[in-house]
Amino acid sequence: AAAAAADSSPAVVAPASTHTAVQTQEQQRQRQRQQEDRDQEHGVISAAVTAHAQAAAAGIPADARERLLLKQEFVQAMQERFVLGLDSEFFDYSRIDQDTRWDDLSTQERDEQEAYFDMDDDDDDDD
């Protein structure tokens, strides 16, 4: 009888609008990160092209310019690899992950506030 009573109680389910809002926010953050990645890549490429042009203007031979460009591309690839966490064989990322000095609290707080107010706006739309 107790099991039947437990089954008859209504289940608490999060509103679909909250779930959708969280998904939408995550999609917006992902699109923003992708755009930032494209902007950064464009900036690095532009910097490499500029450096290559400056080296040519300074009279540096083509083979040296090519080495300079390859070095810049290599450094960029290594930086990206590190930032993406792909160097765990060589670096202990947990030291950084567990050190709160490296946390970007202002961005984290802003994201939490945006999520809160977006949820609040969705609740107001339901009224």
Side-chain angles (χ1 to χ4, degrees), residues 9-98:
S9 63
V12 178
V13 177
S17 62
T18 302
H19 181 66
T20 304
V22 171
Q23 283 180 330
T24 302
Q25 290 169 355
E26 185 57 35
Q27 290 169 346
Q28 288 172 343
R29 285 189 200 105
Q30 185 176 16
R31 282 193 297 271
Q32 182 179 3
R33 279 186 233 117
Q34 289 170 343
Q35 182 62 45
E36 289 170 357
D37 290 346
R38 284 191 296 271
D39 291 347
Q40 180 182 12
E41 181 178 318
H42 177 70
V44 170
I45 291 170
S46 296
V49 169
T50 301
H52 190 64
Q54 288 171 341
I60 298 174
D63 61 332
R65 289 194 310 260
E66 185 66 22
R67 283 195 309 270
L68 177 63
L69 185 60
L70 290 172
K71 179 182 177 183
Q72 290 172 333
E73 289 175 359
F74 174 76
V75 168
Q76 177 195 2
M78 291 296 98
Q79 288 172 340
E80 288 177 12
R81 181 178 169 81
F82 178 82
V83 169
L84 293 173
L86 301 175
D87 284 336
S88 59
E89 180 180 343
F90 309 103
F91 184 79
D92 182 10
Y93 288 97
S94 66
R95 289 188 354 226
I96 293 173
D97 293 340
Q98 296 171 0

